[in-house]
Amino acid sequence: MSSKWGFSTRAVHAGHPEGMEGSTVIPVFQTAAFSFSSSEEAVKRFELGEGYVYSRYGNPTVRSVEEKVASLEGAEDAVLFGSGMSAILVSILSLMKSGDHLISEESIYGGTYTLFNEILPRYGIEVSFVDSLDKSQLEGALKPNTKVLFLESPANPLLKCLPLEKLARFAKGKGIISVVDSTFATPYFQNPLQWGCDLVVHSATKFLGGHGDLTAGVVAGPRSLLDPMRKLFHRHLGTVISPWEAFLLGRGICTLSLRMERSAHNAMLISQWLSLREEVSAVYYPGLKSFPQYEIARSQMRGFGGVLAFELKGGYRAAEKFQDSLKLISRVASLGDVQTLVTHPASSSHRMLSPEERKKRGISDGLVRLSVGIEDCQDLFSDIEQALGALS
Ligand code: PLP
């Protein structure tokens, strides 16, 4: 769909197939395979890639949602996956081989860290973790076999923001492909390709789907990188999304701008309010002027997202007590839902890191992450207030 249309218009209309009996929504092609009208047509579909053969190879519902995401990311194309992790895995596998070296930002989602730290090295891919805000660490990590720079911005769970344009330029200058996990920002607030990054990945399980009812992932970028990924790796590793989940994702994306506006509005108000509470020693939200990378976030994002984190002075016990006392906000190890969710990273998403590694990444025992939903903000305030009251 033409980029002359605004974001919300593209979120609703892009990828919508024509000629589907006038259907006003993307239809669900809940089928494993597609019949051929003749042997000649079968040859055409296999050899020329015209039309559909088998849903692991491609499916019209999935394709429609890929086109929707590509439009929102300002990308040539996009590939949908069954989860964010499979999107990250397949991106890396299609860009790298045994003997290659990956540089990864150290502040990344815990599952991505495990993939890079424990799985990739088993297959001969070497990984270095760096603080990519520190140029000397980045340059020091470079090797002749470095192929990929992996970034996450804003990052889980401290919302660390990275200067995407600068890092993309650095990577390009060294002939390295840059991949950015932009899950927290969503294409509504940030388009990494606009800043020169090569690929953008999302856990579409989060804000893109937006209702906590599916798992999905997506990679967007140029066809030169996506075609080999789709045709060789994605198809043969079977990392596909089901048509039904793709349908739910496409439906969720239609309301992305409305949901993100409301979540970000609520998150900003809660961050400002928490900053004034005596039980809280620090608040991390890219929209706060006190946030260390506020200027970076402001320069490359159109809004600051729906996730914030804060530290409770009482440490691990206070974090546990706080989340156990919440009545409206759910204790869930996820984010990006219409309902507000609380997570204690030390006991959930980042529990696989040793206490030393967590400390090195600034993830204290008292850190609490809130994924702010679209509820009435006043109700969120009263739930948080009564939970903070339970600490005294
Ligand atoms: N990237 C980020 C930033 C995440 O927060 C997550 C999951 O929480 C993932 C990737 C993995 O996505 P999924 O759970 O859809 O596999």
Side-chain angles (χ1 to χ4, degrees):
M1 188 177 186
S2 163
S3 57
K4 77 170 183 156
W5 300 104
F7 186 95
S8 301
T9 307
R10 282 179 284 134
V12 172
H13 292 275
H16 196 98
E18 284 165 18
M20 295 286 179
E21 309 292 344
S23 167
T24 57
V25 296
I26 295 172
V28 187
F29 284 81
Q30 192 69 43
T31 181
F34 301 82
S35 65
F36 313 119
S37 59
S38 65
S39 312
E40 192 190 343
E41 201 204 328
V43 170
K44 245 169 64 183
R45 289 206 210 162
F46 272 105
E47 289 192 353
L48 306 176
E50 284 173 10
Y52 294 93
V53 171
Y54 189 58
S55 278
R56 180 159 51 74
Y57 279 41
N59 174 286
T61 309
V62 174
R63 185 64 199 141
S64 291
V65 182
E66 288 177 342
E67 285 172 10
K68 202 183 266 301
V69 176
S71 171
L72 299 182
E73 281 295 3
E76 213 179 345
D77 206 352
V79 184
L80 278 190
F81 291 85
S83 66
M85 285 312 302
S86 55
I88 295 169
L89 170 69
V90 172
S91 307
I92 298 300
L93 292 184
S94 78
L95 296 171
M96 304 186 77
K97 56 182 180 0
S98 172
D100 287 343
H101 174 239
L102 167 78
I103 299 180
S104 173
E105 158 62 35
E106 62 186 8
S107 290
I108 50 173
Y109 165 61
T112 313
Y113 179 78
T114 303
L115 167 66
F116 290 175
N117 192 46
E118 291 183 36
I119 300 179
L120 294 185
R122 289 198 198 183
Y123 299 91
I125 295 174
E126 208 188 333
V127 184
S128 305
F129 294 96
V130 299
D131 171 1
S132 43
L133 290 174
D134 179 346
K135 196 159 182 244
S136 65
Q137 279 197 37
L138 254 183
E139 298 209 322
L142 272 176
K143 297 185 180 197
N145 55 344
T146 305
K147 291 284 156 54
V148 172
L149 172 65
F150 186 90
L151 307 168
E152 185 176 305
S153 184
N156 198 351
L158 289 172
L159 289 309
K160 179 177 177 182
C161 292
L162 305 172
L164 297 180
E165 190 170 24
K166 213 160 113 188
L167 291 169
R169 208 176 318 117
F170 167 83
K172 268 212 171 67
K174 308 287 179 197
I176 298 169
I177 305 277
S178 53
V179 182
V180 183
D181 184 334
S182 187
T183 298
F184 277 41
T186 81
Y188 185 61
F189 286 137
Q190 173 175 282
N191 294 120
L193 305 181
Q194 171 195 351
W195 303 113
C197 301
D198 294 300
L199 289 176
V200 53
V201 302
H202 291 276
S203 166
T205 311
K206 309 301 189 303
F207 291 104
L208 285 175
H211 296 74
D213 53 7
L214 60 91
T215 60
V218 64
V219 184
R223 288 211 178 87
S224 58
L225 295 177
L226 295 184
D227 282 356
M229 187 188 300
R230 185 196 299 281
K231 290 180 184 154
L232 184 60
F233 294 88
H234 186 37
R235 279 182 186 176
H236 299 101
L237 292 171
T239 41
V240 290
I241 184 170
S242 80
W244 173 245
E245 289 200 294
F247 165 77
L248 287 176
L249 175 58
R251 187 170 73 163
I253 292 172
C254 290
T255 55
L256 182 66
S257 54
L258 297 174
R259 291 186 284 101
M260 291 314 292
E261 281 292 341
R262 179 62 169 258
S263 285
H265 174 77
N266 285 351
M268 177 64 111
L269 292 180
I270 293 171
S271 301
Q272 289 168 337
W273 179 72
L274 282 173
S275 306
L276 305 173
R277 295 290 308 206
E278 62 171 25
E279 302 88 341
V280 174
S281 54
V283 180
Y284 305 92
Y285 182 65
L288 290 180
K289 290 209 172 88
S290 56
F291 184 70
Q293 297 93 40
Y294 169 73
E295 285 303 333
I296 293 175
R298 207 169 66 104
S299 70
Q300 65 193 18
M301 297 176 78
R302 296 179 287 273
F304 302 106
V307 185
L308 64 100
F310 59 97
E311 268 171 47
L312 286 169
K313 285 182 187 159
Y316 200 98
R317 291 185 89 97
E320 268 189 338
K321 177 88 181 152
F322 171 78
Q323 61 165 3
D324 287 347
S325 305
L326 289 165
K327 294 192 165 73
L328 178 68
I329 298 172
S330 311
R331 290 162 288 278
V332 175
S334 191
L335 61 107
D337 201 324
V338 285
Q339 54 176 302
T340 301
L341 311 174
V342 65
T343 304
H344 178 214
S347 63
S348 60
S349 58
H350 288 70
R351 78 194 176 289
M352 66 287 273
L353 299 184
S354 65
E356 296 73 43
E357 281 172 315
R358 278 204 299 272
K359 198 164 172 209
K360 195 169 154 249
R361 285 168 174 71
I363 301 168
S364 71
D365 284 351
L367 187 76
V368 173
R369 188 189 75 194
L370 275 186
S371 167
V372 183
I374 63 171
E375 299 98 329
D376 292 300
C377 202
Q378 205 47 50
D379 294 332
L380 298 175
F381 278 137
S382 48
D383 197 27
I384 296 169
E385 177 141 50
Q386 64 79 25
L388 288 175
L391 301 183
S392 48

